[in-house]
Amino acid sequence: NILMKAENVSKLYQMGEVTVAAAKNVDLNIYKGEFVVVLGPSGSGKSTLLNILGGMDLPTDGKVFMEGEDITSYNDRKLTAYRREKIGFVFQFYNLMANLTARENVELATEICKDALNIDEVLEAVGLGDRKDHFPAQMSGGEQQRIAIARAVAKNPALLLCDEPTGALDFETGIKILTLLKEINKKYNKTVVIITHNVPIGEMADRLIKMRSGEIIEDKINDSPINPE
Ligand code: ADP
Ligand code: ADP
């Protein structure tokens, strides 16, 4: 049951005389309900892949399908709608609105969504049931990331794309955030793709994809992912 498919995707940058291949002939199926971690060192092409899957960037070659539709054929208007409706983004630095409460941050993101989930339920699910009316500055990094996750999930997107979601957090808080993303994956049957250079995060994946120099060098199911309490 394929959600997304990347077919022979390449992204080339021309830097004067030099061509940089940020993605090289990437073939990838993402199946519905998967919990995937894309692991690779800085410069290996993770962000490039995430930006292409998220409709923020177009490949120079190849095609990308979401639910069977070729998003590389979309114009800007359709790509904007695609990002809004199909993708929930979680970033390293949360990207919250400082002047809005936790609840209002989630509310704002869901306003234009057709199938949004119940905001209070999602805030409960991320463990912020009693912090809904607090502002981001009153909350810890881990809590702010919980708001960001609630904001992405409440849109009820087809795919959650997380870009170094633990990158600004200490190790223990990072593990808690990963655990939450896993709970969300199971509870809402949401497909989750996380990119990171953090090896221990990779060990929590159900499926681990390793990248080097714009290529997928390994793609395997993890039979015994670490699932902390
Ligand atoms: P990662 O997310 O794994 O750090 P990136 O996808 O950001 O990797 O980058 C992959 C490669 O593509 C790197 O060599 C990077 O320098 C290059 N690259 C990324 N974006 C650009 C750009 N806009 N212009 C030129 N080169 C780029
Ligand atoms: P608008 O400008 O109307 O918000 P966008 O297409 O810019 O429309 O944004 C749609 C969605 O895509 C938003 O949820 C936003 O968070 C996300 N998004 C847009 N641009 C980027 C980007 N460069 N990196 C990550 N996420 C982005």
Side-chain angles (χ1 to χ4, degrees):
N1 211 347
I2 297 176
L3 180 72
M4 285 201 85
K5 188 178 186 71
E7 258 179 24
N8 201 30
V9 162
S10 294
K11 178 79 184 180
L12 306 178
Y13 291 105
Q14 203 61 46
M15 309 290 284
E17 301 283 279
V18 185
T19 305
V20 177
K24 254 186 273 182
N25 309 107
V26 171
D27 282 304
L28 177 64
N29 288 337
I30 295 166
Y31 298 90
K32 282 185 187 154
E34 276 195 310
F35 188 83
V36 184
V37 173
V38 178
L39 180 69
S42 177
S44 59
K46 305 181 299 291
S47 313
T48 299
L49 181 62
L50 182 125
N51 288 341
I52 289 172
L53 295 177
M56 276 133 6
D57 213 346
L58 287 169
T60 36
D61 261 304
K63 289 186 169 162
V64 180
F65 298 89
M66 166 59 95
E67 295 168 338
E69 275 200 42
D70 180 6
I71 69 166
T72 61
S73 71
Y74 285 180
N75 58 22
D76 282 350
R77 190 182 51 79
K78 283 190 87 171
L79 272 178
T80 300
Y82 168 80
R83 289 193 295 269
R84 281 184 179 158
E85 289 163 21
K86 296 292 180 187
I87 311 291
F89 294 98
V90 176
F91 307 103
Q92 179 172 3
F93 297 110
Y94 331 125
N95 293 21
L96 300 169
M97 306 287 278
N99 58 332
L100 300 181
T101 64
R103 194 178 193 291
E104 288 165 347
N105 265 283
V106 179
E107 214 165 27
L108 180 67
T110 54
E111 261 169 12
I112 47 170
C113 295
K114 293 188 282 272
D115 307 311
L117 303 176
N118 182 289
I119 292 170
D120 294 299
E121 268 175 36
V122 176
L123 281 164
E124 299 277 344
V126 301
L128 293 178
D130 52 359
R131 306 294 305 271
K132 292 176 205 170
D133 299 322
H134 293 225
F135 290 91
Q138 300 172 298
M139 297 164 90
S140 67
E143 286 167 337
Q144 291 186 52
Q145 194 60 299
R146 286 170 193 272
I147 306 176
I149 291 169
R151 176 181 60 186
V153 172
K155 283 171 46 171
N156 203 10
L159 175 66
L160 274 188
L161 276 181
C162 311
D163 186 353
E164 298 284 1
T166 66
L169 303 171
D170 64 69
F171 184 76
E172 230 170 87
T173 309
I175 296 293
K176 285 186 186 149
I177 288 297
L178 252 287
T179 305
L180 171 64
L181 286 168
K182 260 197 156 166
E183 284 168 10
I184 297 281
N185 165 252
K186 302 288 177 285
K187 180 179 162 88
Y188 294 98
N189 193 30
K190 282 272 158 262
T191 312
V192 177
V193 173
I194 296 166
I195 68 164
T196 184
H197 61 261
N198 192 326
V199 174
I201 299 297
E203 286 162 7
M204 293 178 70
D206 293 342
R207 175 180 172 199
L208 181 61
I209 295 172
K210 290 187 184 167
M211 288 192 77
R212 291 284 187 290
S213 313
E215 292 182 284
I216 292 178
I217 57 159
E218 198 178 308
D219 183 351
K220 64 171 187 205
I221 301 296
N222 187 357
D223 294 324
S224 50
I226 296 171
N227 287 309
E229 292 312 304

